[in-house]
């Protein structure tokens, strides 16, 4: 915002205090031009030098008073999405997403249930990769890796899954969740002016949120996470917001590695609120045991 104040200050100097000697001549009269104009002009410049810093500070102070805090911006983001009451009114959620890349087709399904439960399925040709978290334990089934029995997930592998389990999103009640938010300033996202918010999460991840300065909705999120000692950076792009029972959701999502021009595109097909989801969906199932043939058979 600094350059804005500089431009304002420059505009005040050029428009309100033009040091035009002819103007002084007209004002003082021809008979006084020779004797009085130089010392009066010098005095005028001296006064300006004293007044301009004070004027500049007053402009800056006015800007600071009018500036929004990070909490005010986050509150407007929550309101833009539909408001805290409506968000809290969603007790469970099912999101169905389609993914295509050339001839490759896949479906992604995410199911959430308060408090903090999540199940995600990546389905290809009827076979599903499953990851789930029941609020305490994270587990997965990886048939594409030849593992059809559930396995416990490590703390590192569970990090993003636990974040996905937050049905409201990390910005809602961020302080109570142990996160810290900071307004970095303004940044452009593909030509759109955005508020840039840095969220330092309790789990050590860093997220940068780009919120449209007009709509206050998320346009982009940069994620920095550390998995087994290695920093991983990714970007999520959101668009095509639609309202579902009073809450706005993005129906177009793109994902990419930080700095990559290649993005994976996901199209949200359906969002269902307050669906009946049994707790057993999120609990780790027992491993299937094969029955051994009886002796002598």
């Amino acid at each position: 915002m600094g350059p804005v104040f500089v431009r304002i200050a420059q505009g005040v100097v050029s428009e309100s205090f033009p040091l035009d000697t002819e103007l002084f001549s007209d004002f003082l009269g021809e008979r006084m031009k020779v004797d009085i104009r130089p010392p009066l002009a010098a005095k005028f410049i001296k006064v300006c030098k004293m007044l301009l810093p004070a004027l500049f500070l007053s402009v800056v102070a006015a800007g600071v008073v009018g500036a929004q805090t990070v909490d005010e911006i986050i509150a407007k983001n929550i309101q833009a999405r539909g408001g805290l009451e409506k968000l809290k009114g969603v007790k469970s959620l099912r999101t169905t997403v389609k993914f295509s890349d050339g001839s490759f087709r896949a479906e992604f399904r995410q199911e959430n249930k308060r408090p903090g439960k999540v199940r995600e399925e990546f389905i290809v040709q009827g076979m599903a990769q499953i990851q789930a978290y029941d609020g305490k334990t994270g587990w997965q089934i990886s048939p594409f890796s030849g593992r059809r029995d559930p396995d416990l997930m490590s703390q590192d592998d569970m990090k993003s899954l636990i974040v996905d389990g937050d049905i409201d999103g990390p910005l809602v009640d961020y302080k109570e969740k142990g996160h810290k938010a900071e307004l970095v300033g303004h940044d452009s996202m593909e030509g759109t002016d955005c508020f840039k918010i840095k969220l330092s999460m309790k789990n050590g991840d860093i997220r940068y949120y780009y919120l449209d300065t007009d709509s206050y909705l998320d346009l982009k999120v940069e994620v920095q996470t550390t998995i087994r000692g290695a920093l991983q950076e990714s970007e999520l792009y959101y668009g095509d917001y639609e309202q579902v029972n009073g809450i706005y959701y993005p129906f177009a999502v793109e994902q990419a590695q930080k700095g990559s021009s290649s993005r994976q595109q996901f199209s949200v097909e359906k969002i269902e609120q307050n669906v009946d989801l049994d707790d057993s969906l999120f609990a780790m199932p027992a491993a299937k045991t094969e029955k051994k043939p009886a002796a002598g058979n």
Side-chain angles (χ1 to χ4, degrees):
M1 297 297 289
V4 175
F5 297 136
V6 172
R7 287 198 299 273
I8 292 174
Q10 289 174 341
V12 170
V13 173
S14 62
E15 294 177 17
S16 300
F17 302 109
L19 296 180
D20 191 326
T21 56
E22 302 248 344
L23 181 61
F24 280 115
S25 298
D26 294 340
F27 177 75
L28 296 172
E30 285 296 317
R31 61 186 180 83
M32 302 177 67
K33 177 167 55 176
V34 176
D35 296 328
I36 299 178
R37 183 180 61 185
L40 186 60
K43 185 176 181 180
F44 181 79
I45 293 173
K46 183 177 180 180
V47 170
C48 284
K49 287 181 178 180
M50 295 173 63
L51 288 178
L52 285 179
L55 178 62
F56 177 78
L57 288 175
S58 68
V59 173
V60 172
V64 170
V65 171
Q68 299 182 83
T69 67
V70 66
D71 285 343
E72 289 171 336
I73 293 171
I74 290 175
K76 289 185 177 181
N77 168 257
I78 294 170
Q79 191 60 40
R81 290 171 57 193
L84 191 60
E85 184 178 353
K86 281 193 174 295
L87 292 175
K88 295 292 187 181
V90 178
K91 305 303 181 184
S92 64
L93 191 69
R94 178 185 289 134
T95 305
T96 304
V97 178
K98 297 293 186 182
F99 171 75
S100 62
D101 185 6
S103 60
F104 179 77
R105 299 286 186 274
E107 179 178 312
F108 176 78
R109 184 184 303 129
Q110 179 172 315
E111 295 172 316
N112 290 78
K113 183 178 182 180
R114 295 185 190 272
K117 297 179 175 67
V118 61
R119 179 187 176 105
E120 298 177 351
E121 299 183 18
F122 188 71
I123 306 165
V124 179
Q125 296 180 349
M127 192 177 294
Q129 161 88 27
I130 301 172
Q131 292 187 336
Y133 179 70
D134 63 1
K136 295 180 179 179
T137 303
W139 57 275
Q140 63 183 352
I141 297 176
S142 308
F144 304 112
S145 301
R147 303 185 66 86
R148 296 181 180 274
D149 289 332
D151 293 316
L152 287 171
M153 298 176 67
S154 69
Q155 288 296 321
D156 274 354
D157 291 334
M158 279 196 303
K159 284 176 70 175
S160 64
L161 190 63
I162 293 173
V163 175
D164 290 347
D166 185 351
I167 196 170
D168 298 319
L171 288 181
V172 177
D173 298 330
Y174 75 89
K175 292 179 183 178
E176 290 81 354
K177 295 171 183 174
H179 310 325
K180 295 181 180 179
E182 172 191 352
L183 178 59
V184 178
H186 284 248
D187 206 339
S188 175
M189 205 294 286
E190 298 180 348
T192 300
D193 186 32
C194 294
F195 295 111
K196 185 177 181 180
I197 293 175
K198 178 182 179 182
L199 189 71
S200 301
M201 302 185 66
K202 185 179 180 179
N203 66 4
D205 288 356
I206 302 293
R207 292 190 169 212
Y208 289 95
Y209 287 82
Y210 291 73
L211 308 182
D212 189 328
T213 54
D214 291 327
S215 70
Y216 287 89
L217 292 172
D218 307 34
L219 296 186
K220 176 183 175 183
V221 178
E222 296 176 353
V223 180
Q224 299 176 1
T225 186
T226 302
I227 304 295
R228 287 179 283 278
L231 177 65
Q232 297 183 7
E233 297 182 90
S234 59
E235 299 173 334
L236 293 165
Y237 298 83
Y238 301 104
D240 292 348
Y241 276 87
E242 295 183 23
Q243 197 177 55
V244 179
N245 296 325
I247 299 177
Y248 281 96
Y249 297 95
F251 274 68
V253 181
E254 297 182 357
Q255 182 176 359
Q257 294 300 311
K258 181 72 180 284
S260 173
S261 59
S262 177
R263 300 181 188 174
Q264 295 177 326
Q265 297 181 342
F266 300 87
S267 177
V268 177
E269 187 176 70
K270 184 166 53 174
I271 292 178
E272 303 166 85
Q273 300 168 334
N274 295 321
V275 290
D276 186 18
L277 300 176
D278 194 272
D279 287 344
S280 61
L281 281 171
F282 310 97
M284 182 174 175
K288 296 179 181 178
T289 56
E290 294 183 5
K291 292 183 179 180
K292 295 183 179 180
N297 288 352

